[in-house]
Amino acid sequence: MGSRAAGPADLRRIGVFLERTLTEGDGIVASALPITLAANAASSWLRYLPSVLGLGGRLRVYLEEQQGSVRSVAIVCVGRRPEWVVLTLAAHSGPGGADSAFGLLADLTAEAVRHGMHRVFAAAPDRPGAHAAFFQAGFYSYTRESWLVAPRTTPPDPATRSVAREARSRDAHDLFRFYVATTPHAVQRAEQLNVEDFDLGGRAGAYDPPHLVGGDPLGLRRVAVLIDGGEGALRTLALSYEGRGRHSHVLKVRSATGSVDAARDLARSAVRTLVPGRSILSPVRSYEEHVARALLSDGFRDAGTTMLFVKELAIRIEEPALAPAAVR
């Protein structure tokens, strides 16, 4: 039959299919969380009901089937910006599963174009053969991201009193400059963030996965955005998110100084904004090695690595260059 949007009659089949593939792991082509954590964070299939009933919401559900048998399923989230994020792409682990995943991925990107989207993001397990469907469908990888996890414990207080404060809407320009200073150009090109995306009083799209932080955006509630440094010279940034349902809390730390101690202190301050009793996840990208060292020294452990992909659906038009004009 091919790929299509899921309907109400598909819900139970989709739920069974996702539960099996998330548990086994072999059929997961893309996941917003590492495979070892995704199954525990998954919610009931009833979560997808509003989408398949046409009641709106931020989720979209697609499937590919053959002779009445589901071969692949994609769960997509619509962000605040003109982009879709593939939360889960699961395929049948037997023959034809990889081809089914590629076909479904190609079809959902075509659907994103019809909805006026500019980009589609996804995170794939960093293992041999897991990325073929994305490369075939025109995606490219822009960085790797490791996930660190801490048990239900609170790290010790910082050795010195933190001078971090809550970010405000007026800090948007400084936060954007901090992002530019701490982010490789290839990642900036993929994410296409601007000053408005850092405005906590506006769209604030930079604070949604998969940009400054990873995870399932529908399973998270932003609690705090902490910054350290004066105006025009931010040194560290920490984001804390409360997990909903079975999703863990999420912590994100970035530092412009490369200081392990500064990253550790701000991470501890951010952890104290979260309700105890739930594990904490922290995504750390390949260019944030000092942050990884800070978290590992505070009891976090490695939970897996993913490769971040994007497909650009809109043609970028470069701004015309301005040349000096002779004025008489």
Side-chain angles (χ1 to χ4, degrees):
M1 182 180 292
S3 57
R4 59 178 175 83
D10 302 310
L11 277 178
R12 191 170 295 278
R13 291 194 303 156
I14 289 172
V16 172
F17 182 84
L18 287 176
E19 183 178 0
R20 184 178 69 252
T21 52
L22 285 171
T23 301
E24 295 174 352
D26 292 341
I28 299 300
V29 181
S31 175
L33 289 171
I35 294 175
T36 55
L37 305 171
N40 291 333
S43 301
S44 166
W45 54 266
L46 291 173
R47 172 192 190 193
Y48 314 128
L49 186 60
S51 172
V52 300
L53 290 178
L55 300 178
R58 297 178 61 187
L59 276 183
R60 296 218 188 327
V61 185
Y62 299 93
L63 62 88
E64 197 275 338
E65 60 183 351
Q66 189 174 68
Q67 298 179 346
S69 177
V70 177
R71 298 204 306 168
S72 60
V73 171
I75 311 296
V76 178
C77 181
V78 181
R80 291 183 173 87
R81 307 171 75 239
E83 57 199 27
W84 283 2
V85 180
V86 179
L87 300 182
T88 304
L89 176 58
H92 179 63
S93 57
D99 291 339
S100 175
F102 160 67
L104 184 55
L105 193 58
D107 288 346
L108 74 83
T109 54
E111 184 72 7
V113 171
R114 288 191 284 271
H115 282 81
M117 298 297 106
H118 296 175
R119 291 165 294 277
V120 176
F121 290 94
D126 194 9
R127 62 188 184 194
H131 311 139
F134 289 99
F135 290 127
Q136 292 172 6
F139 285 71
Y140 70 89
S141 171
Y142 60 97
T143 190
R144 279 184 170 84
E145 188 168 69
S146 296
W147 283 86
L148 305 181
V149 59
R152 297 175 178 83
T153 56
T154 302
D157 290 335
T160 58
R161 182 177 177 83
S162 174
V163 295
R165 63 174 177 84
E166 283 273 2
R168 304 180 181 87
S169 180
R170 69 186 186 192
D171 296 308
H173 189 265
D174 286 340
L175 284 163
F176 176 69
R177 291 179 59 189
F178 175 86
Y179 167 79
V180 171
T182 58
T183 307
H185 179 72
V187 178
Q188 294 180 46
R189 183 184 185 279
E191 295 182 326
Q192 290 294 299
L193 298 176
N194 55 46
V195 175
E196 292 181 358
D197 291 311
F198 290 84
D199 184 356
L200 289 162
R203 181 174 64 183
Y207 305 101
D208 282 346
H211 304 303
L212 291 182
V213 70
D216 181 350
L218 300 183
L220 298 171
R221 182 184 70 85
R222 191 175 72 235
V223 176
V225 178
L226 303 178
I227 54 177
D228 179 15
E231 292 187 5
L234 298 186
R235 293 187 294 271
T236 49
L237 164 69
L239 312 173
S240 62
Y241 294 78
E242 178 183 79
R244 293 178 169 179
R246 292 186 288 178
H247 202 297
S248 300
H249 294 326
V250 173
L251 165 71
K252 177 65 182 182
V253 181
R254 301 194 77 166
S255 172
T257 63
S259 169
V260 173
D261 292 337
R264 183 189 303 114
D265 285 350
L266 197 57
R268 291 172 176 174
S269 296
V271 166
R272 289 198 298 273
T273 68
L274 296 169
V275 177
R278 191 178 291 231
S279 60
I280 301 174
L281 302 175
S282 184
V284 181
R285 294 184 173 180
S286 56
Y287 48 89
E288 300 169 334
E289 190 271 338
H290 63 286
V291 175
R293 284 191 284 136
L295 295 175
L296 290 170
S297 69
D298 251 359
F300 282 74
R301 58 178 177 80
D302 188 9
T305 301
T306 58
M307 181 178 284
L308 303 187
F309 284 90
V310 66
K311 181 173 183 178
E312 298 178 356
L313 308 177
I315 299 175
R316 185 181 296 106
I317 300 176
E318 301 293 343
E319 296 183 14
L322 300 179
V327 179
R328 295 181 181 178

